[in-house]
Amino acid sequence: MNYDVIVVGGGLSGFVAAAKAPQMGKRVLLLREGTGCFPFLSGCIDLWGCRGGEDPTTWIDRRVAADRLHPWGRLRDVLEDSISFLREACAPYVSYVASGGENIVVPTPLGVPRPTFMAPHSQYRPGWEDARKILVAGFREYRDFSPALVAANLNRWRGRGEAATSVTTDLGISRYVDAPTLARLLEKERYWRLFVEQLASRMGKSTLVLAPAVFGMDSSAELLTRLGRVLGAPVMELATLPPSVPGLRLQRALRRYVLARGVRVTDNIRVTEAEVEGGICRAVIADDGLRRRRFEGRSFVLATGSFVSGGFTGYGDHVTEPVMHLPVHGRGLVAGDEPFFATQGREFMKVGLLVDENLHPVDDKGRVLYNNVFVTGAKLAGQDHAVEKSGTGVAVASGYKAGLKS
């Protein structure tokens, strides 16, 4: 079957591209090798890591003025529209909250605050940091979250002595579990009641409860509302270590959205090469573990990520893009070449593909290589998401623009 748009890669930017393209009347195929970045995402959308109360677009504009190669220089025109689109697409399952055009502050699983632009409603309440008495709840069976550590760090940050306390509940399970498993257990009435009874007995005068993000796999709204009624205090979730439930909720919300709009999603398939001719990509070849398959399309979105996902391979001056063999800008990691912890960032993080204003890949002289290929997300050169804290924002904006232009 011939498709109007073939999206290669099922991370955040790939799903957003696959979600936007049907609005433009396109027939879309999404090819996914694995789960993408979602198990590693907090569920929040970061535009720039400036402080809470500051406008991230001001910092973005400064960065673009100083570095014309930064991805935000190609995406600034769709930033606001892309964020609105994501909120609408996820709304039935993940409700997002923001504070106008400013960053908000959310608590982390270490008990220290961090800025973000938009957070799931379950992870943010205005004024949470001023709560008089906070109770941090954990689970004996879930060892990737320490309520005592969270409470201690909250007290250090807030400077209020013992204003935050902790409790560890016990579901009576004989093994340790990860966050998704715990989320599914709490959807069962037996474990839910056991947790609520123990937590209610320890509430005291607490005015806010913080707990790991494990209140249901699809949506936390119903369970959190029930819990708040019983406890007589609001409850906030904290994003956890991978596999992250909020990240998986975001994936499930976007997957439902694209399927409802006729997008064909093919999982567990690895795109290995592309057929190109005269500056046009004609098809991609993929391996599903049983056979090689060929998919023809009019446009292609390359959303295969960076080094971690195999979107780039190699090191030093030998970094390659393995699907379309596009020229890679920048230098990969070389042992001992840079300090591992560098507050100013590391050059190998900026490795990627150069693109024009429409996200077409270009060479080092700015010449378009394939005018029906669009590059998104972590593949874009010039960004250091570890320092800038803008990776999810770039993913959403670039996926949206690729879906719009393809």
Side-chain angles (χ1 to χ4, degrees):
M1 181 181 293
N2 191 289
Y3 293 89
D4 297 314
V5 181
I6 295 180
V7 180
V8 181
L12 181 55
S13 71
F15 260 105
V16 173
K20 181 59 181 177
Q23 282 193 346
M24 314 309 294
K26 302 299 176 63
R27 185 169 50 186
V28 182
L29 170 66
L30 174 60
L31 301 175
R32 304 177 64 235
E33 182 177 1
T35 58
C37 60
F38 291 103
F40 301 92
L41 297 183
S42 68
C44 297
I45 304 300
D46 304 331
L47 301 185
W48 199 271
C50 54
R51 295 180 180 181
E54 293 185 342
D55 183 350
T57 62
T58 300
W59 291 79
I60 288 172
D61 292 340
R62 291 175 188 170
R63 181 58 173 163
V64 171
D67 181 6
R68 64 181 181 83
L69 294 180
H70 197 280
W72 277 126
R74 306 289 189 260
L75 303 172
R76 184 65 179 84
D77 59 328
V78 299
L79 191 157
E80 288 82 4
D81 288 345
S82 66
I83 294 298
S84 296
F85 175 75
L86 182 72
R87 293 183 74 166
E88 294 170 5
C90 295
Y93 302 98
V94 180
S95 174
Y96 274 102
V97 59
S99 178
E102 301 174 346
N103 270 356
I104 57 177
V105 173
V106 297
T108 69
L110 289 178
V112 294
R114 82 167 187 92
T116 187
F117 183 75
M118 189 167 71
H121 190 271
S122 65
Q123 294 183 44
Y124 178 73
R125 292 182 63 88
W128 70 268
E129 55 268 59
D130 297 320
R132 181 169 47 83
K133 188 75 173 177
I134 297 176
L135 179 63
V136 185
F139 301 83
R140 181 191 61 80
E141 295 84 355
Y142 181 49
R143 303 192 70 181
D144 286 340
F145 182 85
S146 170
L149 176 64
V150 173
N153 284 335
L154 280 172
N155 287 328
R156 291 190 186 98
W157 171 60
R158 286 158 38 111
R160 297 189 186 178
E162 299 301 317
T165 57
S166 65
V167 58
T168 298
T169 61
D170 189 340
L171 300 184
I173 301 171
S174 60
R175 68 185 191 280
Y176 297 120
V177 297
D178 61 13
T181 302
L182 186 55
R184 294 185 182 95
L185 287 173
L186 288 175
E187 291 173 340
K188 299 179 180 180
E189 194 66 23
R190 169 190 171 188
Y191 295 109
W192 170 255
R193 288 187 177 182
L194 192 59
F195 167 68
V196 172
E197 289 170 1
Q198 294 178 56
L199 186 56
S201 68
R202 295 291 300 275
M203 278 294 291
K205 297 181 179 180
S206 300
T207 57
L208 175 67
V209 176
L210 301 181
V214 292
F215 294 99
M217 280 301 298
D218 282 323
S219 173
S220 59
E222 180 181 351
L223 290 181
L224 289 180
T225 299
R226 287 178 59 193
L227 185 57
R229 288 193 189 121
V230 173
L231 301 178
V235 182
M236 273 175 54
E237 290 188 311
L238 278 65
T240 62
L241 296 178
S244 163
V245 170
L248 295 173
R249 287 176 188 155
L250 175 57
Q251 179 190 46
R252 291 157 77 100
L254 287 171
R255 186 183 183 94
R256 286 187 173 99
Y257 184 89
V258 300
L259 291 175
R261 281 148 185 84
V263 175
R264 178 182 173 188
V265 179
T266 301
D267 297 312
N268 303 315
I269 190 165
R270 182 168 63 93
V271 175
T272 57
E273 59 185 288
E275 293 182 3
V276 297
E277 178 185 352
I280 298 291
C281 182
R282 304 294 183 184
V284 291
I285 308 301
D287 184 351
D288 64 5
L290 297 175
R291 65 189 188 281
R292 285 164 55 87
R293 302 173 62 182
R294 182 176 183 273
F295 300 95
E296 294 183 1
R298 294 185 177 88
S299 296
F300 297 82
V301 177
L302 190 60
T304 51
S306 187
F307 291 97
V308 174
S309 60
F312 294 125
T313 58
Y315 64 95
D317 294 324
H318 306 288
V319 178
T320 60
E321 187 283 301
V323 175
M324 298 184 178
H325 303 290
L326 296 167
V328 178
H329 177 78
R331 189 165 185 265
L333 178 64
V334 175
D337 194 34
E338 299 178 87
F340 189 80
F341 295 105
T343 56
Q344 75 278 10
R346 305 184 69 188
E347 286 304 311
F348 90 89
M349 295 291 291
K350 300 179 182 179
V351 167
L353 306 180
L354 298 176
V355 297
D356 67 3
E357 64 276 6
N358 292 315
L359 303 184
H360 298 309
V362 300
D363 61 18
D364 58 0
K365 292 183 171 56
R367 295 173 296 200
V368 174
L369 300 171
Y370 303 115
N371 59 22
N372 69 332
V373 173
F374 303 83
V375 181
T376 67
K379 298 206 76 64
L380 296 170
Q383 60 181 315
D384 185 345
H385 61 83
V387 171
E388 298 164 356
K389 304 295 188 290
S390 61
T392 47
V394 167
V396 171
S398 60
Y400 177 88
K401 190 166 190 176
L404 183 68
K405 296 291 185 177
S406 60

